[in-house]
Amino acid sequence: MSQELLKITDLSVEYRTDKETVHAVNHIHFSLNKGETIGLVGETGAGKTTTALSIMRLLPEKTGFIPNGTIEFEGRSLFDLEEKELHNIRGKHIAMIFQDPMTSLNPIMTVGEQIAEALELHNTDGKTHEQIQARVDEVLTMVGIPPSRKIAFPHQFSGGMKQRVVIAMALVCEPDLLIADEPTTALDVTIQAQVINMIRELRDRLGTAMIMITHDLGIVAQTCDNVAVMYAGRIIEAGTALDIYKGEFRHPYTVGLFTSIPNLREKTARLTPIPGLMPDPTKLPAGCSFAPRCPRATELCRTTPPSAYRSGTHVIECHLLEGKDGWTKEARE
Ligand code: SF4
């Protein structure tokens, strides 16, 4: 039976300054079972990374606020944990791979020292120096780097190899949940596929649950069981990969995301970008946030936020589903 690992309920996140409040995440809900992968998809500024930072409890201390919502990990609220318990969870139970490998690597330590350090920080079972070194060698081999290279510094590696080191650091403690935030965006296209394949293989081998944050629907199709599409801080559509890719109804924004992918089979492989921009997160529209860009928007859309409607595993926030056969309004908020 599937076991719930992570549960996010009605989470909102704001960044506050003296002058304004940025509504980065607005009332999102999702859960993740052990060993499953969910893709968080959307344009830059949709709230994907803020969601990840909230799970890691790494929001900026002075400006990041959580006005409402809960995040439970293995049944415990992450908001109730002391700093020491959080420290134990980060790295050992939940690990994150950031977009740019250099934000995670220390330029003046060898890669072997950095992987060993990640292990030593959570060395609760008293591993000896030799056991730690053996584990460093093992995890380097897993990510395709010869252990003999553990004495090299980050600048001696290419971008793809640096990201492999970061993946090794994230996986060395065998976390239950891996959050990969656009892990290949900073890499050369030719090695993006290799890195994604490697993350997928390691996840399958270790049984790690994963949140894959990306704007690339191709990566989602290759890696995810479930998908949540984010727009202006909300999850406007969620379901299984099949619901999102083949569903009988899709959110107009998701439809736009798909039509903005070039179709290479057609001779005129044209990209049809979604016209307009995401709304200013300091002044969100009164109604549906997508209304200013939506080809199907009505007056109701401009004045009233849509409810969420469910059909089986598929959930969509859109007025067009009101009264539609097979869809029922979700009782939330
Ligand atoms: Fe478009 Fe209206 Fe649906 Fe929003 S609620 S996505 S504006 S049709």
Side-chain angles (χ1 to χ4, degrees):
M1 211 178 82
S2 51
Q3 277 177 290
E4 195 170 71
L5 183 69
L6 180 79
K7 185 175 184 194
I8 295 188
T9 310
D10 195 30
L11 180 74
S12 296
V13 185
E14 296 173 352
Y15 296 111
R16 297 180 195 158
T17 65
D18 291 344
K19 291 194 188 109
E20 59 189 13
T21 298
V22 173
H23 300 278
V25 169
N26 300 301
H27 301 283
I28 65 164
H29 301 252
F30 75 87
S31 60
L32 183 65
N33 289 331
K34 289 191 174 169
E36 272 183 5
T37 297
I38 187 167
L40 285 190
V41 193
E43 293 165 279
T44 304
K48 309 180 303 285
T49 299
T50 297
T51 303
L53 294 177
S54 313
I55 298 167
M56 295 295 285
R57 295 279 315 272
L58 287 176
L59 289 171
E61 215 170 289
K62 294 210 170 92
T63 54
F65 291 88
I66 297 185
N68 52 271
T70 53
I71 303 178
E72 286 171 59
F73 183 74
E74 297 209 294
R76 287 188 72 191
S77 168
L78 289 181
F79 299 157
D80 294 343
L81 301 182
E82 302 286 331
E83 194 48 48
K84 200 171 156 218
E85 291 173 289
L86 265 179
H87 174 79
N88 182 40
I89 284 206
R90 276 190 218 121
K92 189 168 182 194
H93 296 280
I94 308 177
M96 186 158 170
I97 303 170
F98 293 90
Q99 207 174 97
D100 177 1
M102 281 320 284
T103 55
S104 313
L105 294 173
N106 183 337
I108 58 166
M109 282 171 80
T110 67
V111 299
E113 284 166 350
Q114 296 186 59
I115 299 170
E117 188 183 48
L119 203 54
E120 279 156 6
L121 280 172
H122 301 287
N123 189 11
T124 45
D125 53 357
K127 282 190 185 64
T128 62
H129 175 76
E130 288 70 30
Q131 285 170 323
I132 287 176
Q133 287 308 310
R135 178 72 182 139
V136 170
D137 293 355
E138 187 184 18
V139 82
L140 278 171
T141 307
M142 264 165 51
V143 297
I145 298 177
S148 59
R149 296 219 57 202
K150 69 182 173 184
I151 52 169
F153 289 90
H155 73 268
Q156 295 172 295
F157 285 90
S158 66
M161 292 290 265
K162 282 193 201 100
Q163 197 59 306
R164 283 170 188 258
V165 173
V166 172
I167 294 166
M169 279 166 65
L171 293 176
V172 70
C173 295
E174 301 199 358
D176 305 296
L177 172 62
L178 177 67
I179 304 176
D181 186 3
E182 305 266 10
T184 58
T185 305
L187 305 180
D188 197 303
V189 249
T190 52
I191 50 159
Q192 286 184 356
Q194 284 175 21
V195 171
I196 289 294
N197 282 341
M198 192 188 65
I199 292 176
R200 201 171 51 180
E201 274 169 35
L202 293 173
R203 172 205 63 184
D204 292 347
R205 194 183 327 161
L206 303 172
T208 314
M210 184 160 81
I211 298 177
M212 173 64 82
I213 295 177
T214 182
H215 58 269
D216 187 328
L217 288 161
I219 290 179
V220 173
Q222 287 168 42
T223 51
C224 300
D225 307 296
N226 294 304
V227 184
V229 183
M230 290 194 79
Y231 186 81
R234 296 190 73 88
I235 293 179
I236 47 92
E237 176 160 9
T240 62
L242 204 63
D243 291 332
I244 306 296
Y245 285 81
K246 302 265 182 221
E248 47 108 23
F249 186 89
R250 286 184 292 169
H251 190 283
Y253 175 65
T254 313
V255 173
L257 276 185
F258 276 94
T259 49
S260 66
I261 304 173
N263 183 349
L264 297 175
R265 275 191 292 270
E266 286 176 17
K267 281 194 187 120
T268 51
R270 288 253 168 83
L271 217 140
T272 316
I274 305 169
L277 296 170
M278 215 155 21
D280 178 347
T282 64
K283 299 181 200 88
L284 290 174
C288 172
S289 297
F290 190 54
R293 301 170 79 183
C294 180
R296 305 187 66 182
T298 62
E299 201 39 44
L300 176 69
C301 303
R302 283 181 257 280
T303 55
T304 313
S307 300
Y309 297 84
R310 176 181 289 276
S311 171
T313 48
H314 199 178
V315 180
I316 296 179
E317 285 187 352
C318 177
H319 286 305
L320 296 173
L321 287 166
E322 175 65 43
K324 195 170 169 69
D325 269 0
W327 292 82
T328 48
K329 197 183 275 191
E330 284 266 269
R332 297 175 170 171
E333 293 164 44

